[in-house]
Amino acid sequence: MADLPAADALDGSGSELAALIEAGDTDELAARFAGTLQFGTAGLRGELGAGPMRMNRSVVIRAAAGLAAYLKAQGQEGGLVVIGYDARYKSADFARDTAAVMTGAGLRAAVLPRPLPTPVLAYAIRHLGAVAGVEVTASHNPPRDNGYKVYLGDGSQIVPPADGEIAAAIAAVGPLAGVVRPEDGWETLGEEVLDAYLARTDAVLAAGSPRTARTVYTAMHGVGTSVLTAAFARAGFPEPVLVTEQAEPDPAFPTVAFPNPEEPGAMDLAFATARRAAPDLIIANDPDADRCAVAVPDTSVEGGWRMLRGDEVGALLAAHLVERGATGVFAESIVSSSLLGRIAEKAGLGYEETLTGFKWIARVDGLRYGYEEALGYCVDPEGVRDKDGITAALLVAELASALKEQGRTLLDLLDDLALAHGLHATDQLSVRVEDLSVIADAMARLREQPPTALAGLAVTSAEDLSQGTDRLPPTDGLRYQLEGARVIVRPSGTEPKLKCYLEVVVPVADPVGLPAARVRGAELLAGIKRDLATAAGI
């Protein structure tokens, strides 16, 4: 690691370390040099700054050099690597460094023309016949973060063993002075790659379907506005009303504490805009536009607008695809609602559960539709083998339009699904920590003393997913089956969080019973959340 401080001078961060030394901030220096930022199935993600435990040009150049070595070892010498990036701090620099490293290593590199949604990069990999793709993004993380996501030539994110082999290749990179980085030699793609993606978005809609739904849209200070509005215009939907304060890319994310539609307060400006514009629905993307959030008018809640949970949108899109005659396999991660399996079973479709993440969902054989509760939806796997917040938004708008023509809403369809399959109510207990040992201690405590009941519901089975199952490879997680409920506990793969996913299923005999079922579902979820927090010591 002796070359790292000098290499940090690549982007001026050597002075950042000098300032820490001068200030005597030994704790911060120790944190930055406690090891190296680890490359895993999420690639790299971390706080920007100097030192090997931060995201900076030195760390990115080393990662790119390792990826290039891995690709060459796989016989991909001369292959094309496509590189995309969002509008976060340093994203363009990291993309340019990656292109230089790939070119210097004897691979061909092509960079997307400007900051664009992650699904455009995922699409471009297969469209251009690339051997790999890199997206520089930290998705919905705080402004201080950035990340480095790697795809292979099938257009899917990396999974084991590729991640471990790439990590080993990164660790084997010598002094950065020896990494060849020419000043040019790579291609900057034109708008035609975006045009091809937009042409593909038409494929998610049914020919002649209604296109009347009016929307309010927020890009959450990310890169989604131009692409989503272009896709909606091509499809013939009314032009979305933009949340102007959040429409343009801004790496400071000035109007939100966290640029994630799920976070408290993040949608406040969208709700305020909707109260003025009176649309049929609100659509929000996260900053790299691979996630899609939906809110609907609801007079029963304060402010008149309600965010739909990711599981609700997942079920709605599944029901819409079934209504359209979809064939193939529906898939979801284990932390998502079991309602999808019931919808698929009733429709006679295949169904698969995977580990968390679209790197797993996208690899399901015969996939037609996949989703997970964290607002991620894959509605066109032949075009984008990843979550795509643009095409998901189009499909939601088509469904809302079809229901509107019938005098109905998305909430009416959710009621139909509850009557057909039982009310599936979901919630999450999510604990953000400063000290990662809190997460390890909670997992250890649950393993040593698993709960026997939660909210008065008996735990009928407790699985330690680190052992794997007959259908799932090992992962750090715990799964509890209860009488009419399910709980999964796992550390987040991308943030310092412990995440607990809760689901209860309440039978509903008729429409009259829906309000009581919702109350019962909310009570059970609150009780499970309370008892689980006690059991985990959090």
Side-chain angles (χ1 to χ4, degrees):
M1 290 299 175
D3 64 303
L4 269 169
D8 276 338
L10 285 166
D11 54 1
S13 52
S15 59
E16 186 182 332
L17 293 175
L20 291 172
I21 293 169
E22 186 175 340
D25 194 343
T26 54
D27 288 345
E28 179 64 17
L29 285 165
R32 293 179 181 223
F33 285 86
T36 58
L37 203 59
Q38 291 300 300
F39 186 94
T41 52
L44 294 169
R45 193 175 292 187
E47 187 175 344
L48 290 163
M53 286 294 290
R54 298 289 185 266
M55 282 294 295
N56 52 62
R57 291 184 64 199
S58 302
V59 167
V60 166
I61 289 167
R62 188 175 296 279
L67 174 60
Y70 166 82
L71 292 172
K72 290 167 71 175
Q74 299 293 312
Q76 304 289 3
E77 179 87 34
L80 174 67
V81 179
V82 187
I83 302 151
Y85 59 103
D86 66 12
R88 284 178 176 266
Y89 296 118
K90 298 289 185 181
S91 286
D93 294 336
F94 295 163
R96 191 179 307 110
D97 284 330
T98 301
V101 171
M102 296 300 163
T103 302
L107 293 147
R108 293 180 295 126
V111 183
L112 294 185
R114 53 189 169 88
L116 287 168
T118 293
V120 177
L121 180 277
Y123 168 81
I125 294 167
R126 299 180 70 207
H127 176 66
L128 298 174
V131 299
V134 171
E135 177 71 16
V136 181
T137 182
S139 189
H140 55 278
N141 276 38
R144 65 180 181 270
D145 289 358
N146 213 326
Y148 198 82
K149 185 183 294 188
V150 175
Y151 299 75
L152 293 182
D154 63 355
S156 299
Q157 297 177 50
I158 54 170
V159 295
D163 58 340
E165 292 168 359
I166 294 170
I170 293 170
V173 174
L176 294 192
V179 177
V180 179
R181 291 182 292 116
E183 293 294 321
D184 53 33
W186 58 89
E187 179 184 3
T188 299
L189 296 166
E191 293 292 315
E192 63 275 1
V193 68
L194 177 59
D195 292 341
Y197 167 81
L198 287 170
R200 178 75 201 184
T201 63
D202 296 346
V204 306
L205 302 174
S209 63
R211 314 281 168 91
T212 57
R214 295 175 300 107
T215 60
V216 159
Y217 171 72
T218 175
M220 207 65 63
H221 297 295
V223 297
T225 297
S226 64
V227 179
L228 182 131
T229 54
F232 270 54
R234 285 181 61 98
F237 286 104
E239 182 179 359
V241 175
L242 300 182
V243 179
T244 55
E245 302 94 330
Q246 299 174 335
E248 296 302 316
D250 187 336
F253 304 107
T255 68
V256 291
F258 289 94
N260 178 353
E262 292 180 295
E263 292 285 348
M267 294 289 288
D268 286 355
L269 287 171
F271 293 151
T273 303
R275 284 191 282 272
R276 294 191 300 270
D280 298 303
L281 71 164
I282 299 171
I283 289 174
N285 287 140
D286 65 338
D288 69 325
D290 63 351
R291 288 174 168 84
C292 177
V294 180
V296 295
D298 187 344
T299 57
S300 71
V301 299
E302 184 179 353
W305 282 86
R306 176 166 82 84
M307 272 279 287
L308 297 182
R309 302 192 66 85
D311 284 319
E312 292 176 312
V313 177
L316 288 168
L317 291 178
H320 183 45
L321 291 171
V322 167
E323 178 68 22
R324 280 180 30 183
T327 59
V329 177
F330 284 9
E332 63 181 338
S333 61
I334 58 172
V335 300
S336 303
S337 172
S338 60
L339 178 55
L340 183 69
R342 300 189 183 198
I343 292 171
E345 181 181 16
K346 185 173 182 181
L349 299 175
Y351 168 74
E352 290 288 340
E353 272 190 325
T354 75
L355 293 183
T356 307
F358 271 82
K359 58 184 176 283
W360 299 109
I361 294 171
R363 285 179 160 76
V364 168
D365 288 341
L367 180 68
R368 174 58 186 90
Y369 167 65
Y371 98 92
E372 69 178 7
E373 55 76 43
L375 309 182
Y377 314 95
C378 176
V379 302
D380 178 25
E382 290 305 307
V384 175
R385 291 188 179 178
D386 199 1
K387 55 187 176 291
D388 182 346
I390 305 297
T391 51
L394 286 169
L395 201 61
V396 168
E398 180 185 60
L399 171 57
S401 298
L403 292 168
K404 184 179 179 180
E405 300 243 324
Q406 302 165 21
R408 306 178 74 235
T409 68
L410 296 177
L411 294 180
D412 293 326
L413 181 53
L414 284 174
D415 286 349
D416 292 349
L417 293 173
L419 292 169
H421 305 289
L423 178 75
H424 288 62
T426 60
D427 201 356
Q428 189 178 127
L429 171 62
S430 182
V431 181
R432 184 181 293 271
V433 302
E434 294 293 331
D435 181 359
L436 291 177
S437 68
V438 173
I439 295 176
D441 290 346
M443 295 297 290
R445 179 169 173 162
L446 289 171
R447 284 189 167 102
E448 292 165 8
Q449 296 178 304
T452 57
L454 297 168
L457 302 177
V459 175
T460 57
S461 71
E463 293 175 278
D464 187 344
L465 299 176
S466 66
Q467 308 301 312
T469 73
D470 58 345
R471 302 185 66 85
L472 297 171
T475 188
D476 187 9
L478 301 166
R479 178 164 58 183
Y480 304 109
Q481 299 290 348
L482 296 85
E483 294 176 350
R486 182 214 66 199
V487 173
I488 293 175
V489 183
R490 59 179 284 273
S492 170
T494 56
E495 298 177 90
K497 284 183 176 181
L498 180 68
K499 303 182 91 169
C500 310
Y501 305 85
L502 323 175
E503 179 179 46
V504 299
V505 182
V506 182
V508 189
D510 53 49
V512 176
L514 278 169
R518 290 195 185 93
V519 170
R520 176 61 176 160
E523 289 173 347
L524 286 171
L525 288 171
I528 291 172
K529 190 181 293 189
R530 179 192 63 241
D531 292 351
L532 184 63
T534 300
I538 53 177

